[in-house]
Amino acid sequence: MSTPTALLVERSARRRATRSRSRSLQPWYRNGSLVAGGVIVGLLVLVAVLAPVLAPYDPVKQDLANALQSPSGEHLLGTDKYGRDVLSRLIWGARVDLRVGFLAVLIPFVVGTVVGGIAGYAGGWLDTVLMRVVDVFFAFPFYVMVIVLVFVFGSGEFSIYIAIAAVSWVSYAKIVRGEVLVAKEQDYVVAARLGGMSHARILVRHIGPNVLSQAVIYGMSDIVMDIMAIVTLGYLGLGIAPPTAEWGSMINDGQEFITTQWQQATIPGLVVVVTSLGLSWLGDGISDLLNPERRK
């Protein structure tokens, strides 16, 4: 049972968080990074969702009689060496890369947040042990570890999820732990403890909402890293199994025709760059909203 003091503390913390969110969300339309990134990412997501409608051809259907055609009214970006429409594969590739990129963030976000929250709040030997495990994983380069793990597990979407999750969770753990170490010394947490609240309730209801913003901000940049990893794996032939349309494999397939059919490798590469910029701008915009003092 919660004591009256604990309930008052909880209501006060809730009102404070609501006022803070309200103040930070008011000027969103004046945030250039947020608007530009939101438009780019929104359009890409829309294209991915509407891929079955927007794509003029089946992205995996081969037509060897019409292979390596130049851009025309029938095939706006030409065809690849198997006669597949490049524009259709580009559109369907958005669905694959964005889906894997966004989903690959969820597992490490949850695992890292839980581990970092427990380590920061508990402290002592548990914090020491968990952080030593984090340091071991953190010592290895991200892309090298992902490539090695995918090579061990085999190519495919499931292997990509496992490889990225095994490497990425440590960053979230470090971020959340640092935020929890500061938050648990704040007056509202001390008052909640004195009011008789359980540690689990304090961590979930009071500390959690106040420390997750940094992890969310990092998650936006992590999506960029994940998409770049997916494209790299596809380029190396370790990513999504063919003939599924994927930007990295499109770049790999088109590079041998760069002098005659430059659009096959160049356009997917440019789309990757635009996607990365959009996500980066969106992350910066969200960071400004969640941390209003950065704009001062």
Side-chain angles (χ1 to χ4, degrees):
M1 295 291 292
S2 299
T3 66
T5 302
L7 292 175
L8 288 174
V9 170
E10 184 172 356
R11 289 183 189 134
S12 176
R14 220 180 269 165
R15 286 195 298 269
R16 183 169 55 251
T18 301
R19 287 196 299 268
S20 177
R21 284 194 295 269
S22 177
R23 285 195 300 269
S24 64
L25 289 174
Q26 285 176 358
W28 67 268
Y29 50 87
R30 299 177 186 172
N31 191 316
S33 296
L34 180 68
V35 173
V39 169
I40 293 174
V41 174
L43 289 175
L44 287 168
V45 171
L46 187 63
V47 168
V49 171
L50 298 179
V53 177
L54 298 177
Y57 296 94
D58 186 336
V60 301
K61 185 177 181 180
Q62 299 183 10
D63 184 7
L64 297 178
N66 292 307
L68 296 176
Q69 285 191 358
S70 299
S72 63
E74 187 176 3
H75 298 282
L76 295 180
L77 294 179
T79 60
D80 64 9
K81 59 183 178 181
Y82 299 109
R84 300 172 298 196
D85 183 66
V86 174
L87 177 60
S88 298
R89 290 183 62 78
L90 192 69
I91 292 173
W92 277 93
R95 168 173 282 201
V96 173
D97 286 322
L98 290 179
R99 181 186 71 237
V100 177
F102 278 94
L103 291 180
V105 168
L106 294 180
I107 299 176
F109 178 88
V110 173
V111 173
T113 298
V114 171
V115 172
I118 293 175
Y121 188 78
W125 67 268
L126 183 58
D127 179 34
T128 301
V129 171
L130 291 176
M131 286 302 101
R132 292 301 75 77
V133 175
V134 167
D135 290 339
V136 171
F137 280 89
F138 207 75
F140 296 96
F142 173 80
Y143 290 110
V144 173
M145 281 297 294
V146 169
I147 292 173
V148 169
L149 290 175
V150 170
F151 183 79
V152 171
F153 295 136
S155 61
E157 190 168 327
F158 180 75
S159 296
I160 294 175
Y161 291 140
I162 297 300
I164 292 177
V167 179
S168 295
W169 68 273
V170 295
S171 297
Y172 295 97
K174 277 184 170 290
I175 292 171
V176 172
R177 173 184 175 270
E179 294 291 318
V180 171
L181 286 174
V182 175
K184 73 178 185 178
E185 303 299 332
Q186 299 298 313
D187 292 340
Y188 68 92
V189 176
V190 175
R193 284 201 209 99
L194 295 176
M197 285 189 185
S198 66
H199 294 303
R201 187 171 185 179
I202 293 173
L203 190 58
V204 174
R205 298 294 297 274
H206 297 298
I207 295 180
N210 289 293
V211 304
L212 284 180
S213 61
Q214 292 301 319
V216 171
I217 293 167
Y218 179 79
M220 296 306 300
S221 62
D222 199 26
I223 294 174
V224 178
M225 292 181 62
D226 289 348
I227 290 179
M228 293 302 296
I230 296 162
V231 172
T232 301
L233 291 169
Y235 179 80
L236 296 174
L238 297 173
I240 307 298
T244 303
E246 192 275 322
W247 293 337
S249 60
M250 289 181 67
I251 296 172
N252 185 30
D253 291 340
Q255 67 176 353
E256 59 182 302
F257 309 106
I258 193 67
T259 57
T260 56
Q261 299 285 337
W262 61 269
Q263 76 282 353
Q264 291 192 31
T266 305
I267 299 299
L270 290 175
V271 171
V272 172
V273 172
V274 171
T275 302
S276 299
L277 284 175
L279 289 168
S280 297
W281 287 338
L282 183 60
D284 288 342
I286 293 175
S287 177
D288 288 340
L289 285 181
L290 297 179
N291 297 282
E293 64 272 6
R294 286 186 53 186
R295 296 194 298 268
K296 295 180 181 180

